[in-house]
mmCIF file of all heavy atoms in Angstrom:
data_model
loop_
_atom_site.group_PDB
_atom_site.id
_atom_site.type_symbol
_atom_site.label_atom_id
_atom_site.label_comp_id
_atom_site.label_asym_id
_atom_site.label_seq_id
_atom_site.Cartn_x
_atom_site.Cartn_y
_atom_site.Cartn_z
ATOM 1 N N GLY A 1 -64.784 8.393 223.954
ATOM 2 C CA GLY A 1 -65.349 8.548 222.624
ATOM 3 C C GLY A 1 -66.674 9.283 222.646
ATOM 4 O O GLY A 1 -66.946 10.147 221.800
ATOM 5 N N ARG A 2 -67.510 8.970 223.635
ATOM 6 C CA ARG A 2 -68.806 9.642 223.747
ATOM 7 C C ARG A 2 -68.632 11.128 224.033
ATOM 8 O O ARG A 2 -69.369 11.966 223.515
ATOM 9 C CB ARG A 2 -69.646 8.991 224.841
ATOM 10 C CG ARG A 2 -70.133 7.590 224.512
ATOM 11 C CD ARG A 2 -71.146 7.106 225.538
ATOM 12 N NE ARG A 2 -71.499 5.706 225.293
ATOM 13 C CZ ARG A 2 -71.003 4.683 225.962
ATOM 14 N NH1 ARG A 2 -70.121 4.899 226.922
ATOM 15 N NH2 ARG A 2 -71.367 3.450 225.692
ATOM 16 N N VAL A 3 -67.658 11.448 224.899
ATOM 17 C CA VAL A 3 -67.404 12.848 225.218
ATOM 18 C C VAL A 3 -66.998 13.607 223.963
ATOM 19 O O VAL A 3 -67.481 14.720 223.695
ATOM 20 C CB VAL A 3 -66.316 12.968 226.305
ATOM 21 C CG1 VAL A 3 -65.871 14.424 226.464
ATOM 22 C CG2 VAL A 3 -66.828 12.434 227.629
ATOM 23 N N LEU A 4 -66.118 13.031 223.168
ATOM 24 C CA LEU A 4 -65.670 13.677 221.942
ATOM 25 C C LEU A 4 -66.814 13.852 220.946
ATOM 26 O O LEU A 4 -67.022 14.937 220.400
ATOM 27 C CB LEU A 4 -64.541 12.864 221.313
ATOM 28 C CG LEU A 4 -63.172 12.989 221.986
ATOM 29 C CD1 LEU A 4 -62.252 11.863 221.554
ATOM 30 C CD2 LEU A 4 -62.542 14.340 221.656
ATOM 31 N N LEU A 5 -67.575 12.809 220.718
ATOM 32 C CA LEU A 5 -68.646 12.871 219.726
ATOM 33 C C LEU A 5 -69.791 13.780 220.154
ATOM 34 O O LEU A 5 -70.508 14.323 219.311
ATOM 35 C CB LEU A 5 -69.170 11.461 219.424
ATOM 36 C CG LEU A 5 -68.183 10.562 218.670
ATOM 37 C CD1 LEU A 5 -68.752 9.151 218.528
ATOM 38 C CD2 LEU A 5 -67.878 11.133 217.292
ATOM 39 N N ALA A 6 -69.941 13.964 221.463
ATOM 40 C CA ALA A 6 -70.994 14.852 221.948
ATOM 41 C C ALA A 6 -70.792 16.279 221.461
ATOM 42 O O ALA A 6 -71.752 17.036 221.294
ATOM 43 C CB ALA A 6 -71.054 14.826 223.474
ATOM 44 N N SER A 7 -69.540 16.660 221.206
ATOM 45 C CA SER A 7 -69.269 18.022 220.748
ATOM 46 C C SER A 7 -69.903 18.287 219.387
ATOM 47 O O SER A 7 -70.263 19.426 219.078
ATOM 48 C CB SER A 7 -67.759 18.259 220.674
ATOM 49 O OG SER A 7 -67.153 17.447 219.684
ATOM 50 N N ILE A 8 -70.045 17.240 218.578
ATOM 51 C CA ILE A 8 -70.660 17.400 217.260
ATOM 52 C C ILE A 8 -72.143 17.064 217.306
ATOM 53 O O ILE A 8 -72.968 17.772 216.721
ATOM 54 C CB ILE A 8 -69.948 16.506 216.221
ATOM 55 C CG1 ILE A 8 -68.487 16.942 216.071
ATOM 56 C CG2 ILE A 8 -70.664 16.564 214.872
ATOM 57 C CD1 ILE A 8 -67.684 16.101 215.125
ATOM 58 N N ASN A 9 -72.486 16.015 218.017
ATOM 59 C CA ASN A 9 -73.884 15.587 218.035
ATOM 60 C C ASN A 9 -74.820 16.622 218.640
ATOM 61 O O ASN A 9 -76.008 16.651 218.318
ATOM 62 C CB ASN A 9 -74.005 14.257 218.794
ATOM 63 C CG ASN A 9 -73.362 13.102 218.052
ATOM 64 O OD1 ASN A 9 -73.275 13.112 216.831
ATOM 65 N ND2 ASN A 9 -72.903 12.103 218.781
ATOM 66 N N SER A 10 -74.301 17.450 219.526
ATOM 67 C CA SER A 10 -75.139 18.476 220.151
ATOM 68 C C SER A 10 -75.092 19.807 219.417
ATOM 69 O O SER A 10 -75.829 20.733 219.752
ATOM 70 C CB SER A 10 -74.699 18.694 221.604
ATOM 71 O OG SER A 10 -73.376 19.221 221.649
ATOM 72 N N MET A 11 -74.250 19.917 218.419
ATOM 73 C CA MET A 11 -73.982 21.208 217.810
ATOM 74 C C MET A 11 -75.193 21.825 217.110
ATOM 75 O O MET A 11 -75.376 23.041 217.107
ATOM 76 C CB MET A 11 -72.817 21.098 216.827
ATOM 77 C CG MET A 11 -72.218 22.444 216.452
ATOM 78 S SD MET A 11 -70.761 22.271 215.419
ATOM 79 C CE MET A 11 -69.672 21.420 216.544
ATOM 80 N N SER A 12 -76.035 20.989 216.531
ATOM 81 C CA SER A 12 -77.184 21.520 215.789
ATOM 82 C C SER A 12 -78.156 22.264 216.690
ATOM 83 O O SER A 12 -78.958 23.071 216.218
ATOM 84 C CB SER A 12 -77.925 20.381 215.071
ATOM 85 O OG SER A 12 -78.463 19.457 216.008
ATOM 86 N N ARG A 13 -78.071 22.022 218.019
ATOM 87 C CA ARG A 13 -79.000 22.663 218.953
ATOM 88 C C ARG A 13 -78.547 24.055 219.386
ATOM 89 O O ARG A 13 -79.347 24.809 219.937
ATOM 90 C CB ARG A 13 -79.198 21.767 220.184
ATOM 91 C CG ARG A 13 -79.851 20.422 219.867
ATOM 92 C CD ARG A 13 -80.365 19.751 221.125
ATOM 93 N NE ARG A 13 -79.304 19.304 221.996
ATOM 94 C CZ ARG A 13 -78.720 18.096 221.915
ATOM 95 N NH1 ARG A 13 -79.116 17.247 220.995
ATOM 96 N NH2 ARG A 13 -77.757 17.754 222.759
ATOM 97 N N TRP A 14 -77.269 24.378 219.150
ATOM 98 C CA TRP A 14 -76.815 25.685 219.635
ATOM 99 C C TRP A 14 -75.890 26.438 218.681
ATOM 100 O O TRP A 14 -75.820 27.671 218.731
ATOM 101 C CB TRP A 14 -76.086 25.519 220.978
ATOM 102 C CG TRP A 14 -74.844 24.672 220.899
ATOM 103 C CD1 TRP A 14 -74.744 23.330 221.090
ATOM 104 C CD2 TRP A 14 -73.516 25.128 220.599
ATOM 105 N NE1 TRP A 14 -73.449 22.905 220.923
ATOM 106 C CE2 TRP A 14 -72.665 23.998 220.634
ATOM 107 C CE3 TRP A 14 -72.954 26.383 220.321
ATOM 108 C CZ2 TRP A 14 -71.306 24.079 220.380
ATOM 109 C CZ3 TRP A 14 -71.590 26.468 220.072
ATOM 110 C CH2 TRP A 14 -70.788 25.316 220.110
ATOM 111 N N HIS A 15 -75.192 25.733 217.806
ATOM 112 C CA HIS A 15 -74.208 26.403 216.954
ATOM 113 C C HIS A 15 -74.874 27.126 215.793
ATOM 114 O O HIS A 15 -75.749 26.575 215.113
ATOM 115 C CB HIS A 15 -73.203 25.388 216.404
ATOM 116 C CG HIS A 15 -72.174 26.000 215.507
ATOM 117 N ND1 HIS A 15 -72.236 25.907 214.135
ATOM 118 C CD2 HIS A 15 -71.070 26.739 215.790
ATOM 119 C CE1 HIS A 15 -71.215 26.542 213.604
ATOM 120 N NE2 HIS A 15 -70.489 27.059 214.578
ATOM 121 N N LYS A 16 -74.467 28.359 215.549
ATOM 122 C CA LYS A 16 -74.975 29.151 214.430
ATOM 123 C C LYS A 16 -73.958 29.095 213.294
ATOM 124 O O LYS A 16 -72.798 29.504 213.477
ATOM 125 C CB LYS A 16 -75.211 30.600 214.862
ATOM 126 C CG LYS A 16 -76.337 30.775 215.871
ATOM 127 C CD LYS A 16 -76.517 32.248 216.238
ATOM 128 C CE LYS A 16 -77.752 32.439 217.117
ATOM 129 N NZ LYS A 16 -77.699 31.635 218.343
ATOM 130 N N PRO A 17 -74.361 28.575 212.126
ATOM 131 C CA PRO A 17 -73.410 28.429 211.010
ATOM 132 C C PRO A 17 -72.696 29.725 210.648
ATOM 133 O O PRO A 17 -71.554 29.697 210.197
ATOM 134 C CB PRO A 17 -74.308 27.942 209.861
ATOM 135 C CG PRO A 17 -75.447 27.270 210.533
ATOM 136 C CD PRO A 17 -75.690 28.050 211.793
ATOM 137 N N GLN A 18 -73.365 30.882 210.833
ATOM 138 C CA GLN A 18 -72.755 32.158 210.487
ATOM 139 C C GLN A 18 -72.128 32.843 211.695
ATOM 140 O O GLN A 18 -71.852 34.043 211.660
ATOM 141 C CB GLN A 18 -73.820 33.084 209.871
ATOM 142 C CG GLN A 18 -74.550 32.499 208.686
ATOM 143 C CD GLN A 18 -73.616 31.996 207.597
ATOM 144 O OE1 GLN A 18 -72.617 32.637 207.290
ATOM 145 N NE2 GLN A 18 -73.940 30.852 207.009
ATOM 146 N N GLY A 19 -71.922 32.101 212.764
ATOM 147 C CA GLY A 19 -71.376 32.667 213.988
ATOM 148 C C GLY A 19 -69.884 32.900 213.924
ATOM 149 O O GLY A 19 -69.233 32.740 212.872
ATOM 150 N N LYS A 20 -69.315 33.269 215.067
ATOM 151 C CA LYS A 20 -67.898 33.615 215.143
ATOM 152 C C LYS A 20 -67.011 32.443 214.781
ATOM 153 O O LYS A 20 -65.985 32.602 214.108
ATOM 154 C CB LYS A 20 -67.580 34.107 216.562
ATOM 155 C CG LYS A 20 -66.128 34.507 216.773
ATOM 156 C CD LYS A 20 -65.912 34.995 218.200
ATOM 157 C CE LYS A 20 -64.440 35.362 218.435
ATOM 158 N NZ LYS A 20 -64.210 35.824 219.827
ATOM 159 N N LEU A 21 -67.375 31.252 215.221
ATOM 160 C CA LEU A 21 -66.579 30.053 214.955
ATOM 161 C C LEU A 21 -67.317 29.110 214.025
ATOM 162 O O LEU A 21 -68.530 28.916 214.164
ATOM 163 C CB LEU A 21 -66.255 29.318 216.259
ATOM 164 C CG LEU A 21 -65.171 29.908 217.167
ATOM 165 C CD1 LEU A 21 -65.087 29.095 218.453
ATOM 166 C CD2 LEU A 21 -63.812 29.913 216.469
ATOM 167 N N SER A 22 -66.591 28.521 213.097
ATOM 168 C CA SER A 22 -67.166 27.474 212.260
ATOM 169 C C SER A 22 -67.338 26.215 213.088
ATOM 170 O O SER A 22 -66.807 26.107 214.209
ATOM 171 C CB SER A 22 -66.245 27.181 211.074
ATOM 172 O OG SER A 22 -65.030 26.605 211.542
ATOM 173 N N ALA A 23 -68.066 25.254 212.557
ATOM 174 C CA ALA A 23 -68.217 23.981 213.252
ATOM 175 C C ALA A 23 -66.853 23.326 213.477
ATOM 176 O O ALA A 23 -66.563 22.790 214.543
ATOM 177 C CB ALA A 23 -69.135 23.053 212.465
ATOM 178 N N SER A 24 -65.999 23.397 212.464
ATOM 179 C CA SER A 24 -64.665 22.814 212.595
ATOM 180 C C SER A 24 -63.844 23.551 213.652
ATOM 181 O O SER A 24 -63.082 22.937 214.406
ATOM 182 C CB SER A 24 -63.940 22.856 211.247
ATOM 183 O OG SER A 24 -64.606 22.037 210.296
ATOM 184 N N GLY A 25 -64.008 24.877 213.723
ATOM 185 C CA GLY A 25 -63.300 25.644 214.734
ATOM 186 C C GLY A 25 -63.735 25.281 216.138
ATOM 187 O O GLY A 25 -62.911 25.194 217.060
ATOM 188 N N VAL A 26 -65.045 25.074 216.320
ATOM 189 C CA VAL A 26 -65.564 24.662 217.625
ATOM 190 C C VAL A 26 -64.995 23.310 218.019
ATOM 191 O O VAL A 26 -64.501 23.114 219.139
ATOM 192 C CB VAL A 26 -67.104 24.601 217.607
ATOM 193 C CG1 VAL A 26 -67.635 23.946 218.880
ATOM 194 C CG2 VAL A 26 -67.695 25.996 217.457
ATOM 195 N N VAL A 27 -65.059 22.362 217.098
ATOM 196 C CA VAL A 27 -64.609 21.008 217.400
ATOM 197 C C VAL A 27 -63.111 20.967 217.640
ATOM 198 O O VAL A 27 -62.632 20.232 218.515
ATOM 199 C CB VAL A 27 -65.021 20.041 216.271
ATOM 200 C CG1 VAL A 27 -64.343 18.678 216.432
ATOM 201 C CG2 VAL A 27 -66.533 19.871 216.260
ATOM 202 N N GLU A 28 -62.349 21.779 216.912
ATOM 203 C CA GLU A 28 -60.906 21.797 217.130
ATOM 204 C C GLU A 28 -60.583 22.247 218.554
ATOM 205 O O GLU A 28 -59.713 21.672 219.218
ATOM 206 C CB GLU A 28 -60.223 22.707 216.121
ATOM 207 C CG GLU A 28 -58.710 22.693 216.261
ATOM 208 C CD GLU A 28 -57.990 23.152 215.011
ATOM 209 O OE1 GLU A 28 -58.596 23.876 214.207
ATOM 210 O OE2 GLU A 28 -56.807 22.786 214.850
ATOM 211 N N GLN A 29 -61.282 23.263 219.041
ATOM 212 C CA GLN A 29 -61.061 23.696 220.421
ATOM 213 C C GLN A 29 -61.470 22.605 221.410
ATOM 214 O O GLN A 29 -60.794 22.361 222.414
ATOM 215 C CB GLN A 29 -61.837 24.980 220.700
ATOM 216 C CG GLN A 29 -61.276 26.196 219.978
ATOM 217 C CD GLN A 29 -61.779 27.501 220.556
ATOM 218 O OE1 GLN A 29 -62.197 27.578 221.705
ATOM 219 N NE2 GLN A 29 -61.727 28.555 219.756
ATOM 220 N N PHE A 30 -62.600 21.964 221.135
ATOM 221 C CA PHE A 30 -63.087 20.901 222.020
ATOM 222 C C PHE A 30 -62.085 19.750 222.067
ATOM 223 O O PHE A 30 -61.794 19.209 223.144
ATOM 224 C CB PHE A 30 -64.438 20.405 221.517
ATOM 225 C CG PHE A 30 -65.246 19.681 222.549
ATOM 226 C CD1 PHE A 30 -66.210 20.337 223.296
ATOM 227 C CD2 PHE A 30 -65.067 18.328 222.783
ATOM 228 C CE1 PHE A 30 -66.970 19.668 224.246
ATOM 229 C CE2 PHE A 30 -65.803 17.652 223.727
ATOM 230 C CZ PHE A 30 -66.761 18.320 224.457
ATOM 231 N N VAL A 31 -61.545 19.388 220.902
ATOM 232 C CA VAL A 31 -60.562 18.303 220.843
ATOM 233 C C VAL A 31 -59.310 18.675 221.629
ATOM 234 O O VAL A 31 -58.737 17.834 222.344
ATOM 235 C CB VAL A 31 -60.215 17.964 219.378
ATOM 236 C CG1 VAL A 31 -59.016 17.013 219.305
ATOM 237 C CG2 VAL A 31 -61.416 17.333 218.682
ATOM 238 N N ASP A 32 -58.870 19.919 221.516
ATOM 239 C CA ASP A 32 -57.701 20.356 222.288
ATOM 240 C C ASP A 32 -57.933 20.171 223.787
ATOM 241 O O ASP A 32 -57.042 19.724 224.513
ATOM 242 C CB ASP A 32 -57.410 21.841 222.005
ATOM 243 C CG ASP A 32 -56.742 22.058 220.652
ATOM 244 O OD1 ASP A 32 -56.171 21.088 220.107
ATOM 245 O OD2 ASP A 32 -56.794 23.189 220.139
ATOM 246 N N ILE A 33 -59.133 20.529 224.238
ATOM 247 C CA ILE A 33 -59.458 20.406 225.662
ATOM 248 C C ILE A 33 -59.459 18.942 226.092
ATOM 249 O O ILE A 33 -58.862 18.571 227.118
ATOM 250 C CB ILE A 33 -60.817 21.059 225.959
ATOM 251 C CG1 ILE A 33 -60.734 22.574 225.741
ATOM 252 C CG2 ILE A 33 -61.271 20.747 227.379
ATOM 253 C CD1 ILE A 33 -62.084 23.269 225.746
ATOM 254 N N VAL A 34 -60.120 18.092 225.315
ATOM 255 C CA VAL A 34 -60.227 16.681 225.686
ATOM 256 C C VAL A 34 -58.870 15.984 225.607
ATOM 257 O O VAL A 34 -58.504 15.205 226.501
ATOM 258 C CB VAL A 34 -61.266 15.964 224.795
ATOM 259 C CG1 VAL A 34 -61.279 14.460 225.101
ATOM 260 C CG2 VAL A 34 -62.652 16.553 225.015
ATOM 261 N N LEU A 35 -58.115 16.261 224.548
ATOM 262 C CA LEU A 35 -56.807 15.625 224.433
ATOM 263 C C LEU A 35 -55.887 16.059 225.570
ATOM 264 O O LEU A 35 -55.045 15.282 226.032
ATOM 265 C CB LEU A 35 -56.170 15.960 223.078
ATOM 266 C CG LEU A 35 -56.755 15.238 221.858
ATOM 267 C CD1 LEU A 35 -56.080 15.705 220.590
ATOM 268 C CD2 LEU A 35 -56.623 13.723 221.996
ATOM 269 N N GLY A 36 -56.054 17.300 226.021
ATOM 270 C CA GLY A 36 -55.270 17.746 227.160
ATOM 271 C C GLY A 36 -55.538 16.907 228.399
ATOM 272 O O GLY A 36 -54.635 16.642 229.202
ATOM 273 N N GLY A 37 -56.775 16.450 228.554
ATOM 274 C CA GLY A 37 -57.113 15.596 229.682
ATOM 275 C C GLY A 37 -56.717 14.158 229.480
ATOM 276 O O GLY A 37 -56.504 13.417 230.449
ATOM 277 N N LEU A 38 -56.610 13.728 228.200
ATOM 278 C CA LEU A 38 -56.259 12.348 227.925
ATOM 279 C C LEU A 38 -54.750 12.092 227.997
ATOM 280 O O LEU A 38 -54.317 10.975 228.315
ATOM 281 C CB LEU A 38 -56.748 11.955 226.523
ATOM 282 C CG LEU A 38 -58.230 11.634 226.350
ATOM 283 C CD1 LEU A 38 -58.536 11.400 224.876
ATOM 284 C CD2 LEU A 38 -58.598 10.389 227.159
#
């Protein structure tokens, strides 16, 4: 759970709202990676 939530809790320090990926797009990729390991 901590690993998953870290993807959002740390986002304000590096993610640019107008960047290539939206926040939801970033988290969706992160979830795919973590679920693949679970």
Side-chain angles (χ1 to χ4, degrees):
R2 291 190 186 100
V3 170
L4 284 163
L5 291 175
S7 66
I8 297 178
N9 291 332
S10 65
M11 196 175 296
S12 63
R13 296 196 291 271
W14 62 269
H15 179 258
K16 293 181 173 57
Q18 305 307 319
K20 180 179 178 181
L21 284 175
S22 67
S24 295
V26 170
V27 169
E28 183 159 23
Q29 290 197 23
F30 200 95
V31 170
D32 284 340
I33 294 169
V34 175
L35 286 178
L38 282 175

